[in-house]
Amino acid sequence: MTDPKLKEYTDRCARAEKETEKLAASLQALTDGNLASTENVETVDKEFLDLLNENRKLKYRIGILKKNIEQQRKSAGAMCDLNIKNSCNVLGQLESVFLRAIQSAYPGATNPVTQIQVSKHADYQCNAAMALAKSLKKNPREVGESILKSVPPSPLIAKMDLSGPGFINITISQDFIRQQVTNIVLNGVTPPPTTSLRVVVDFSSPNIAKEMHVGHLRSTIIGDSISRLMEFLGHDVLRINHLGDWGTQFGMLIAHLQDRFPDFASNTPPIADLQTFYKESKKRFDEDEEFKKRAYQAVVKLQAHEPIHLKGWQQICDISKQEFSKVYERLGVKLVDRGESFYQSRMESVVKMLQNSGMLEEDEGRKVMFADGADIPLTIVKSDGGFTYDTSDMACMRQRIDEEKADWLVYVTDAGQAQHFKSLFLCATKAGIYNPSKTRVDHVQFGVVLGEDKKKFKTRSGDTVRLVDLLNEGLQRSEEKLKEKDRDKALTPEEFTKARDAVAYGCIKYADLSHDRSRDYVFSFDRMLDFRGNTAAYLLYALTRIRSIARTACVSRKDIVAEAQKYPVELEHEKEWKLARTLLKLPDVLIKITEDLYLHSLCEYLFEVSAVFTEFYDNCYCVEKNSEGKIVKINFNRLILCEATAAVMEKCFAILGIETVEKM
């Protein structure tokens, strides 16, 4: 691979070398022979120094260009691999191409920004010239021309042109688009190339002996979707369910267990309703001083790992986990349970480390930790010597970085914990537990779920909505909605059940994920089950319609793949090209989400794909029939485009944790 700039600079450097040699000889002759005045010597000397300086600059540019050419070789090879193994994040690849062009044209530019965006005049536009011209104090159009001339060859780019004050319009290669769409059909939706990381995602986190309620909904859904995205991108993901399974309340529960079921150690107690059991023990704890005293004694014995108390604690935990697992199974969520009990010895180690390093301060009997920038300190040890959530979270972070070897920690909790996590991250940095330059840490915070009265979502009696009740109501309403549309008559019982479940759980998830997670959102079954607009009900139905096109033509997926194997899909109509370009946006959407962890971007993209497909379908016949309804022509290129669209939509749904169905 050659570069015209490299040849130009090499030639100029060679000429400068010769001129330097001549001037050096002249300067020496003038000085030795005293053949001219001092003024002549100074003139030659100045020319000599200017040439030396120019020569030094040219050599530096040659070095930069050689490095760029080597990068281009590697990039070109990587791009060839992308056509086979990975999807191509077009925006990211263009940014890489134009960054090299800027560095080639202006080697002295520091931290140049490529500024690539979607354009109305072409496929994309590079706006880097304006900002660069300002810093270089040059004309932006001239800068744009220099960048344009320095763009290396790329299989992505068909043509470029300069417009306005320095905008570079970029048209993507049609051959590249055709090949990428065909690859979706042949290889499925593959992830863009990424460096695999060890990622720990902490989400859901209910408390033992308490039922999951609507407050756990957002953390569970958002955390699961983030985990699915990371897994699709090839990261090594550990999904942690940080359970509240330790503390004072367990003394209360164990004491109540001993009274209600004295033989619990040998016979598993029949506690069907753990929530009622918890309320009974809490009532006794609040009203009976003798019981409260026994509860505190039970806590001490539990923390001392007394076998009978550990047995009772384990039974209570097991019953809770069984109930949690039923909810997770319905939602299709997988987690690794790891309670606070897991970190007990690690908490002791953290406290000792902080104490020895002089980072703990006494505060009315407590031991607290301050850090610059933290508005509130962490309470590491309570006045009674016990540990807190702060202690547990410090031990968690240390364990996940040191033992799990995590490159990236993600905490999915409500926005009310923002202050706590700010202090945690700052204190962990101060303690040397967490190094921001080595480990990425994100607090993925979210707003609360509101009822249709715009107040915190509760039952009519004012109680917190149980998650099981919410899911059951979703199933009931989904069934009613599908029956309104006579789907129970068009589908087999098995197909109807699958459609009902997909719509119910999918709508609940999509309603959450399609909103900006940092804001509160109104929970409305009527809205989320609407078969119009940006809802899971509409999008799931749209997907089944796409899938039905090939079935109507009696064409199998195997037939479509066989056609795609012959040659890249042919695209002619403008709506075909628009749909193809839209399908190619997915990798960039996914990469963007890894940067900000806002999943509503994927929902917006999914809705865009559906809308663009509708435009395509309304303007381009996939299957042509005569007046008698008999098929007279099957356009396989358009069926290939339908198959690619369905595959992209299904992958989006999979990342969102939503099951799809063939018929609805």
Side-chain angles (χ1 to χ4, degrees), residues 596-663:
D596 59 26
L597 300 178
Y598 279 90
L599 292 154
H600 67 274
S601 300
L602 184 57
C603 297
E604 290 170 355
Y605 170 75
L606 183 55
F607 186 58
E608 179 188 1
V609 170
S610 175
V612 174
F613 180 85
T614 299
E615 288 182 35
F616 154 76
Y617 190 69
D618 288 345
N619 289 274
C620 304
Y621 289 110
C622 299
V623 180
E624 295 184 33
K625 298 180 180 180
N626 59 20
S627 58
E628 298 174 354
K630 185 178 180 180
I631 296 174
V632 294
K633 182 181 179 182
I634 296 175
N635 190 321
F636 269 96
N637 283 304
R638 289 173 179 172
L639 288 185
I640 289 172
L641 202 48
C642 291
E643 176 64 30
T645 303
V648 166
M649 291 184 71
E650 284 172 349
K651 180 55 66 178
C652 292
F653 278 126
I655 292 171
L656 296 172
I658 297 173
E659 291 287 334
T660 59
V661 289
E662 286 289 322
K663 297 179 181 180

Side-chain angles (χ1 to χ4, degrees), residues 186-391:
L186 297 178
N187 306 317
V189 179
T190 54
T194 52
T195 301
S196 179
L197 302 174
R198 174 67 164 166
V199 185
V200 177
V201 185
D202 181 327
F203 65 102
S204 195
S205 306
N207 289 317
I208 294 293
K210 294 182 180 179
E211 285 189 297
M212 293 182 72
H213 53 77
V214 71
H216 297 109
L217 180 66
R218 300 207 74 183
S219 177
T220 304
I221 290 172
I222 294 169
D224 178 57
S225 188
I226 288 173
S227 300
R228 287 169 178 266
L229 171 60
M230 299 299 180
E231 288 158 353
F232 172 65
L233 293 176
H235 298 303
D236 178 15
V237 180
L238 175 60
R239 300 152 158 258
I240 291 289
N241 195 13
H242 186 72
L243 298 171
D245 70 345
W246 203 252
T248 305
Q249 76 272 21
F250 281 95
M252 174 183 80
L253 290 164
I254 292 169
H256 189 52
L257 183 68
Q258 289 173 322
D259 291 345
R260 284 278 308 275
F261 305 100
D263 62 343
F264 73 88
S266 55
N267 295 307
T268 302
I271 306 174
D273 188 349
L274 199 54
Q275 182 77 0
T276 299
F277 185 84
Y278 180 89
K279 289 180 179 178
E280 290 173 357
S281 63
K282 184 68 169 67
K283 187 173 186 296
R284 292 183 69 189
F285 185 85
D286 292 339
E287 298 174 358
D288 186 340
E289 285 298 320
E290 180 61 30
F291 178 80
K292 180 182 288 189
K293 188 183 297 184
R294 286 174 49 219
Y296 281 128
Q297 291 172 349
V299 172
V300 174
K301 291 178 180 179
L302 175 62
Q303 292 176 342
H305 296 88
E306 199 278 327
I308 197 74
H309 287 74
L310 274 177
K311 178 78 173 179
W313 168 79
Q314 189 64 60
Q315 288 176 343
I316 293 167
C317 289
D318 289 345
I319 294 169
S320 264
K321 289 177 183 178
Q322 288 169 13
E323 294 305 310
F324 296 158
S325 66
K326 292 176 184 177
V327 173
Y328 294 136
E329 187 175 353
R330 292 175 70 173
L331 292 173
V333 174
K334 294 181 180 179
L335 282 153
V336 174
D337 292 334
R338 190 167 289 174
E340 291 173 356
S341 58
F342 175 82
Y343 301 98
Q344 288 305 299
S345 62
R346 293 168 175 83
M347 284 192 252
E348 294 169 5
S349 176
V350 164
V351 172
K352 185 177 180 181
M353 182 267 288
L354 295 176
Q355 187 73 55
N356 292 341
S357 60
M359 294 186 186
L360 298 184
E361 300 180 24
E362 293 287 336
D363 179 51
E364 297 181 352
R366 301 178 303 156
K367 292 182 180 180
V368 300
M369 181 177 181
F370 290 89
D372 292 340
D375 298 326
I376 57 173
L378 295 183
T379 299
I380 302 299
V381 182
K382 295 188 294 184
S383 57
D384 63 2
F387 299 145
T388 69
Y389 289 126
D390 296 347
T391 329

Side-chain angles (χ1 to χ4, degrees), residues 368-435:
V368 300
M369 181 177 181
F370 290 89
D372 292 340
D375 298 326
I376 57 173
L378 295 183
T379 299
I380 302 299
V381 182
K382 295 188 294 184
S383 57
D384 63 2
F387 299 145
T388 69
Y389 289 126
D390 296 347
T391 329
S392 173
D393 282 345
M394 284 285 272
C396 280
M397 181 173 274
R398 190 186 195 193
Q399 189 274 336
R400 292 167 186 178
I401 293 173
D402 292 350
E403 297 179 42
E404 302 293 349
K405 307 300 181 185
D407 302 299
W408 189 354
L409 303 180
V410 181
Y411 296 86
V412 186
T413 76
D414 63 272
Q417 297 188 49
Q419 192 64 62
H420 162 71
F421 279 104
K422 179 183 177 183
S423 295
L424 173 67
F425 299 160
L426 289 169
C427 287
T429 303
K430 179 181 178 180
I433 290 173
Y434 157 50
N435 183 342

